[in-house]
Amino acid sequence: MLHTFVALVEDKPGVLTRVASLFRRLNINITSLTVGNTENDGVSRMTIVAEAAEDRAHRMMASLYKLENVLEVDDVGRHSAVIRELALLKVECDAKNRADLFQLAEVFHARIVDLAPESLMMEITGSASKIEGLVQILVQAGYRILEMARTGRMAMRRGRHTSRVLAALSDTSSTGSSSSPPQKPANLTADQKQSGNWSAEQNRS
Amino acid sequence: MSNSSNPRSSDPAIGSQPTRLTGAETLWATLVGEGVRDVFGYPGGAILPAYDALRKFPIRHILVRHEQGAAHMADGYARASGRVGVAVATSGPGATNLVTGIATAMLDSIPIVCITGQVSSKVLGTDAFQEVDITGITLPVTKHNYLVSRTEDLAPALREAFRVAQSGRPGPVLVDITKDAQQNSALFDFAGAAPAAYRPHPMLRADSASMRAALELLRTAKRPVLLAGHGILHSRALDQVRTLAERAQIPVACTLLGLTAFPASHPLNLGMMGMHGESWVNHAIQQADLLIACGMRFDDRVTGTLATYAPKAKKIHIEIDPAEINKNVPIDVALIGDLKEILETLLPLVSERDGSEWLHAISTMKGSAAVRDIQQLPDNGHLYAAHVMHDLWRETHGDAIVVTDVGQHQMWEAQYYKHEKPRSLITSGGLGTMGFALPAAIGAKVACPDREVWVVAGDGGFQMTSPELATIAQEKLKINIAIVNNGYLGMVRQWQEFFYEKNYESTPLLSPDFVKLADAHGIPGAHVTQRSQVVSTVQTAREHKGAFLIDFHVEQEDSVYPMIPSGAALHEMIRRPPENRLVETANES
């Protein structure tokens, strides 16, 4: 099955290698990986999508946590979450069939972001299936896709839920120490330790 | 750890006031502050600035003969003492030579810190002379590693390295320091470089529901077995484990690395489990209705085939690394966290229990094999490795630190040397690194100079790192060396005998005269070919002031029994052929 993890990691050289190496060691192919800044300086957010057996999720998560640079891991596939991907598509077209493509774009809520004499570029945001739907329609209608770039998935849990790591980081930054490098939150209380969404009993397959 | 916070304030370089130091001085000052007294290393171009500054600091440097030895020595030092071992090497080949030793420490969760020199930051990535990407190379075999290219980053990186090496599940950490970071200066502030507080693994979980479930399983179990692993030593939970076993009358089976976590002579100690474990131990596990795994990871060498492993048993797994839970064996109750803390919470709720029926059933399985006093057996003219181990155990009163290599002699040692003291068996379990014993013994002796240290190595493994004899001679270390010499790569030969129709391809081994080799290093030695010579020669070695080497010429084609072939179930053992029961380790149950 397809697993989607969100990992908050320290923004340092070599962290990507450590994360990627872990999946390499488990012989798991990474379907997509997006990395970007977060609302906190020094913290990057990775969304990792990987194909692996259902019972591997726990090991992947536990192994990610073993990396010193990883602050928090969330298996968002187990929760209600907004999952989005962005794609840019360069399609061959001329003045004759341009109008047809504009219509298609409208149906898929895609935007035309570049127009050239022999091609145009569409930007589409949405779930993977929506993007794949547009691609399929284009191909079936006989259009030639010159280039396609996809970001891979980004995910965020729905609702008020916020990582307690991020919450702790926000608290320290609001008290004026935002210039200091992020510290791993030190004193998780017993309650916090146990409030994780994972348990050995739940995880037995 | 006790020594991680207080720098020796008497040392001028690490006083309370921040001072300007070179990176090289910062390195040693930080190590002194972390409580390091001994390091094992080998100098070279990229680490020379550090070596130039070494004389200013109260640190003993032991010059090794090969960097692999330095890593194994740091490892042996850590295993014997529980303190962090430190190895130092230069860039390039110096660093790559450490890798086998680092991987050995990784697989057995040993806290060591390896310091390597690196080419200057200006030429990083240019294939400069002796440049190698050692942080890249060691990424999968270290718990964490650092590339430090600025002097001001050095003290914080080193202090964090010591914290990482010791916290949670321990492991090796490598700090790669560019030459310019050693040469430049920066303000040194030991206290200010303290790492962020240890962040417990967020998946640690020992909640009251799991505790209650564990207690309920303990209460209702009829045939429980406690599996004692290396984690008991790491967590310093020996007393707690012992109390649990005694109060609930639970028999204890040990992993190879857990052998010294429970006294061998304790009536509840069954012995070693697994591939070469005692038959009654493996049978007890297969018949158990509850396994309480303490700080062990259900390695394939202790489970046999997983499909038939302990089929009737519920499993409680107390373990600090969440990635180990349900990895090999499905667990019923996982208590994830520090073993000592968990047991201290659990123990007040554990009530006394009568285990006599189950204990009696196990001792019936043992039969007369449990007595196994081969001392009393008649001398038939053959010298068996089992005799050597047994007599060595008797003569040293089970009190020595025994450092073994990897192979048949390692298993015979585990079967016949009865360890009473924690950390008194040092052996490469997870990686199975041949050549480990001699350097690791040097580390153990440096860590514990007052303890009697014995190397037990095969003729094959000994030759992998035998140049470290020169280190022993140079450092004037009193280390006794027992070579179990059977003229073969014995364990491989055994597998060829059992599984490859005695096709002894590339296992017969021509060795130098080890006694002459020792003599060339100024170390006296003796050959032993008869059973009757074992005790007196061991006595000679013990009484000799300096190092002593004994070359035991043992039966050439002897095998370790019982043996579970890989892929077989835990109770499907290969037994010693009946005509040769002299050193059988156990009876058929």
Side-chain angles (χ1 to χ4, degrees), chain A residues 201 204, chain B residues 213-227 250 284-294 296 298 309-318 326 329-334 358:
Chain A
E201 291 87 340
R204 283 205 68 185
Chain B
L215 285 166
E216 182 59 19
L217 287 178
L218 268 173
R219 199 181 58 78
T220 51
K222 296 268 184 293
R223 300 184 306 280
V225 177
L226 193 152
L227 308 179
I250 307 171
I285 290 170
Q286 290 299 79
Q287 293 172 21
D289 64 357
L290 175 66
L291 297 180
I292 306 124
C294 296
M296 55 86 75
F298 294 103
Y309 180 71
K312 299 164 198 153
K314 298 272 185 191
K315 283 116 188 161
I316 301 174
H317 199 179
I318 314 178
N326 291 322
V329 171
I331 296 304
D332 296 278
V333 177
W358 172 228

Side-chain angles (χ1 to χ4, degrees), chain B residues 12-82:
Chain B
I14 52 162
S16 51
Q17 291 303 311
T19 9
R20 206 162 178 81
L21 295 184
T22 65
E25 292 164 337
T26 300
L27 164 64
W28 301 119
T30 310
L31 293 192
V32 170
E34 291 287 348
V36 174
R37 296 189 288 269
D38 313 281
V39 300
F40 306 90
Y42 205 103
I47 194 76
L48 259 182
Y51 273 84
D52 190 48
L54 177 55
R55 66 190 155 82
K56 300 176 206 161
F57 296 86
I59 286 181
R60 176 185 185 188
H61 180 271
I62 285 107
L63 177 66
V64 304
R65 294 301 180 269
H66 186 288
E67 290 87 349
Q68 182 188 345
H72 287 327
M73 287 176 208
D75 181 322
Y77 186 95
R79 290 187 205 233
S81 66

Side-chain angles (χ1 to χ4, degrees), chain B residues 207-461:
Chain B
D207 55 306
S208 49
S210 306
M211 290 281 198
R212 272 198 301 277
L215 285 166
E216 182 59 19
L217 287 178
L218 268 173
R219 199 181 58 78
T220 51
K222 296 268 184 293
R223 300 184 306 280
V225 177
L226 193 152
L227 308 179
H230 201 190
I232 298 173
L233 295 173
H234 287 316
S235 171
R236 294 167 165 79
L238 288 100
D239 293 343
Q240 289 74 13
V241 168
R242 190 171 167 163
T243 309
L244 173 65
E246 286 172 353
R247 191 175 299 164
Q249 287 294 299
I250 307 171
V252 177
C254 297
T255 67
L256 174 65
L257 294 181
L259 274 178
T260 66
F262 205 82
S265 60
H266 194 286
L268 287 170
N269 192 343
L270 301 180
M272 184 170 72
M273 62 175 114
M275 182 175 270
H276 293 294
E278 312 286 7
S279 68
W280 62 81
V281 186
N282 290 334
H283 282 299
I285 290 170
Q286 290 299 79
Q287 293 172 21
D289 64 357
L290 175 66
L291 297 180
I292 306 124
C294 296
M296 55 86 75
R297 58 186 175 91
F298 294 103
D299 179 78
D300 53 80
R301 285 296 186 270
V302 308
T303 58
T305 184
L306 291 168
T308 53
Y309 180 71
K312 299 164 198 153
K314 298 272 185 191
K315 283 116 188 161
I316 301 174
H317 199 179
I318 314 178
E319 165 63 46
I320 197 160
D321 181 357
E324 294 296 345
I325 306 296
N326 291 322
K327 185 178 82 175
N328 296 337
V329 171
I331 296 304
D332 296 278
V333 177
L335 299 175
I336 311 171
D338 179 69
L339 178 63
K340 186 175 181 173
E341 285 175 22
I342 288 173
L343 288 183
E344 276 177 350
T345 317
L346 213 52
L347 276 174
L349 306 167
V350 175
S351 43
E352 302 216 347
R353 197 182 141 274
D354 175 25
S356 54
E357 199 178 318
W358 172 228
L359 291 171
H360 179 74
I362 296 175
S363 53
T364 315
M365 283 195 265
K366 281 187 192 178
S368 57
V371 179
R372 221 180 55 183
D373 195 345
I374 63 173
Q375 189 82 18
Q376 310 304 329
L377 290 168
D379 186 349
N380 68 352
H382 295 256
L383 178 62
Y384 287 93
H387 291 148
V388 176
M389 300 306 162
H390 178 87
D391 293 352
L392 185 63
W393 164 61
R394 278 288 179 87
E395 285 307 304
T396 57
H397 316 292
D399 202 29
I401 295 178
V402 182
V403 187
T404 72
D405 219 78
V406 170
Q408 286 184 315
H409 69 276
Q410 181 188 28
M411 292 299 114
W412 281 316
E413 198 281 345
Q415 291 177 338
Y416 288 93
Y417 196 103
K418 300 295 172 193
H419 292 272
E420 300 299 329
K421 287 190 175 168
R423 300 182 179 277
S424 63
L425 168 59
I426 292 174
T427 193
S428 166
L431 196 67
T433 308
M434 286 173 71
F436 174 79
L438 192 64
I442 294 173
K445 185 69 185 179
V446 170
C448 306
D450 301 329
R451 293 288 299 277
E452 178 177 355
V453 175
W454 277 86
V455 172
V456 173
D459 42 336

